[in-house]
Amino acid sequence: MSDAAFVAVDWGTTSFRLWLMSNSGEILGERRSAEGMTTAMRTGFANVLTSHLTALSAPDGLPVIICGMAGARQGWVEAGYVDVPADLSDVLKGAVRVSGEASDVRILPGLAQRAIDMPDVMRGEETQLLGALSADYSSGQQLVCMPGTHSKWVSVSDLKVTGFSTFMTGEIFDVISKHSILSHAMTDAANFTGDLPAFQAAVADSYKHPQMATNRFFTVRSGQLLNGLSATDAKAKLSGTMIGLEIAGAHSTAPRDAKVVLIASGALGELYKAAFAALSIEFITIDADEAVRRGLVAAANAIWH
Amino acid sequence: MSDAAFVAVDWGTTSFRLWLMSNSGEILGERRSAEGMTTAMRTGFANVLTSHLTALSAPDGLPVIICGMAGARQGWVEAGYVDVPADLSDVLKGAVRVSGEASDVRILPGLAQRAIDMPDVMRGEETQLLGALSADYSSGQQLVCMPGTHSKWVSVSDLKVTGFSTFMTGEIFDVISKHSILSHAMTDAANFTGDLPAFQAAVADSYKHPQMATNRFFTVRSGQLLNGLSATDAKAKLSGTMIGLEIAGAHSTAPRDAKVVLIASGALGELYKAAFAALSIEFITIDADEAVRRGLVAAANAIWH
């Protein structure tokens, strides 16, 4: 590990990812855990960080760059927000140093949109965005989708963030699935992919009739009672309805000719790809894991070189 | 209680209401409890009914007319559905007798809409509708709103139900309030009324931009972080967003000139009145408690006279 130059950390609400990096951008080690902010608030942020560096036998005193909820008010040290409209490079300038640590630990700020009628915030996605767009830069208007518990849709024009909107798609899907009457209809649902016709039909229907969202939720139940809708189709229908609603909303906030960029990984990324295909929306995909690491590396280079 | 002629029961999922009625339509006694279907499934439907009749010292052997979830598959006896389009009087003909009871106990069927793309069901609201519209009949197209856990919007033309839509407004509001990140923003919220500007603004915004629903949910959180949104305004905003979304959806299913009829009681009825006013939608109101009782009386008269 003598090549180790710095440590990059993506510290979310419920997830922790760490990479040990060389100066040349090589990944020397990687750690993933569920010790997000929620856990670290109890066990201590410094303790969590140290335990993972020890596990990798990392040398002492490496500088550490962090993005995400570790910079929230209830996080390690509050890193504030950069207000939009903003150049993505402004995020790099706003890193806050954690005092009292032997090594140089810095947390990147989030982005805030202070418009009184559509206030919004993000933490972590700005770094993903920075990593994604600097590598895959194209001029003109882009509409960037970062799906998740709280999906972010960002309007970007020539590397300037002009505005963004958060949609609570993942969390609302989760609470409805677990805590509403629809939970019964989805018991025993198998995993499904975006190929499932019930998913694609729900995306298209919800995109076209977003005002019917809470009605479509109920048809998951009534479809089971009257039409024998299967548990898997029921779950796919709820998921498609939520995602179609989100895309309808996000699309309405941007010019029609904005290029859609999907920053995602894994199964959720596949669902969004299928949703875009069902709506005949053209898009390009950038891997989310890679994007956030690349953004952290860019920040480290800007700060320490 | 020598005048007692029959018993009318509105038996919902979580509520039970019983009236002891004379032949002339006089209310001789009334009982309300939380022994809805969910409770009665465990304690026995006959036991619940008997305990309330005993509490009123009702004579033995009175006929009993019941509407609501007692007629569901998991209820006392399954009473099936009348398929729409249907005349409301068809509901009266479909009452199912409970076998093995000393007295004549009958449960009214619900309504089902079997369209494959918008399946829907109701139980109890058809009786409310019958009571409301027979008393306050007006010809032409009506759009009837019955707000609640699962709000029902019914298109009625000359006492014929042509279609209906359920919106999960109340339940979704409830699960989001209790189980999502927004619960923190609403801790310590005071009760509010439809007069609150935050409620009215959210209704109007959501009605106009239904596709932004899950984004507007998030602004409850970000509005608190960035703009100091109060807990009461946060709760009112979530409520107004849910109700505005519902009205946008329901309105899109009916001709624009359909007369809106609100069947509601209490605080929820006042919120919907304020929402309609905020949207400049004209409407008339019918008391929900009175409507369901009147519908049950009409059913008793049709069956036993």
Side-chain angles (χ1 to χ4, degrees), chain B:
Chain B
M1 294 296 170
S2 57
D3 286 347
F6 67 95
V7 177
V9 179
D10 176 16
W11 210 324
T13 303
T14 57
S15 68
F16 174 94
R17 284 182 299 179
L18 177 151
W19 295 273
L20 186 61
M21 305 294 297
S22 78
N23 255 331
S24 59
E26 203 189 338
I27 302 170
L28 304 176
E30 182 174 350
R31 300 280 296 175
R32 287 169 184 253
S33 91
E35 292 156 297
M37 179 188 70
T38 313
T39 303
M41 281 168 74
R42 294 195 311 269
T43 59
F45 287 86
N47 292 338
V48 172
L49 180 60
T50 303
S51 72
H52 287 284
L53 291 176
T54 304
L56 288 175
S57 307
D60 285 345
L62 288 178
V64 180
I65 184 79
I66 301 172
C67 72
M69 293 301 284
R73 198 169 303 166
Q74 65 274 50
W76 193 354
V77 168
E78 187 172 4
Y81 299 107
V82 172
D83 292 356
V84 299
D87 283 327
L88 278 169
S89 58
D90 295 345
V91 170
L92 306 179
K93 298 172 198 154
V96 168
R97 188 159 173 181
V98 179
S99 61
E101 292 296 311
S103 54
D104 187 352
V105 179
R106 306 206 189 193
I107 305 180
L108 293 168
L111 290 183
Q113 176 170 283
R114 294 185 187 272
I116 193 80
D117 55 336
M118 41 181 180
D120 220 318
V121 291
M122 67 168 72
R123 280 201 187 277
E125 292 89 353
E126 73 296 324
T127 306
Q128 221 172 64
L129 203 56
L130 183 76
L133 296 186
S134 56
D136 209 330
Y137 179 69
S138 64
S139 60
Q141 189 75 31
Q142 291 171 298
L143 181 59
V144 182
C145 168
M146 292 178 278
T149 303
H150 297 165
S151 295
K152 307 287 179 184
W153 284 76
V154 188
S155 288
V156 180
S157 185
D158 298 331
L159 283 182
K160 196 184 189 80
V161 173
T162 55
F164 64 95
S165 305
T166 300
F167 296 82
M168 291 182 67
T169 307
E171 184 172 6
I172 303 296
F173 174 80
D174 194 56
V175 298
I176 293 177
S177 302
K178 285 183 184 153
H179 301 289
S180 82
I181 191 180
L182 302 186
S183 64
H184 310 299
M186 293 186 282
T187 309
D188 307 324
N191 287 331
F192 64 91
T193 68
D195 293 338
L196 198 69
F199 173 78
Q200 296 187 5
V203 167
D205 173 65
S206 183
Y207 182 88
K208 195 173 169 192
H209 306 290
Q211 75 279 10
M212 299 302 285
T214 59
N215 166 257
R216 297 315 195 237
F217 295 166
F218 189 72
T219 63
V220 168
R221 169 77 179 140
S222 50
Q224 192 191 38
L225 281 172
L226 299 182
N227 302 332
L229 187 74
S230 74
T232 303
D233 279 356
K235 192 169 182 181
K237 184 171 183 170
L238 179 62
S239 172
T241 300
M242 292 299 311
I243 291 174
L245 178 63
E246 171 186 324
I247 298 175
H251 242 183
S252 75
T253 66
R256 271 305 182 158
D257 61 347
K259 284 169 253 175
V260 173
V261 178
L262 173 65
I263 306 182
S265 302
L268 188 62
E270 295 306 314
L271 281 187
Y272 275 73
K273 287 180 199 174
F276 289 141
L279 297 171
S280 304
I281 293 173
E282 288 185 29
F283 65 101
I284 62 162
T285 309
I286 296 175
D287 184 75
D289 285 1
E290 214 176 297
V292 74
R293 200 183 63 239
R294 222 187 280 148
L296 287 164
V297 169
N301 286 335
I303 293 170
W304 291 304
H305 293 280

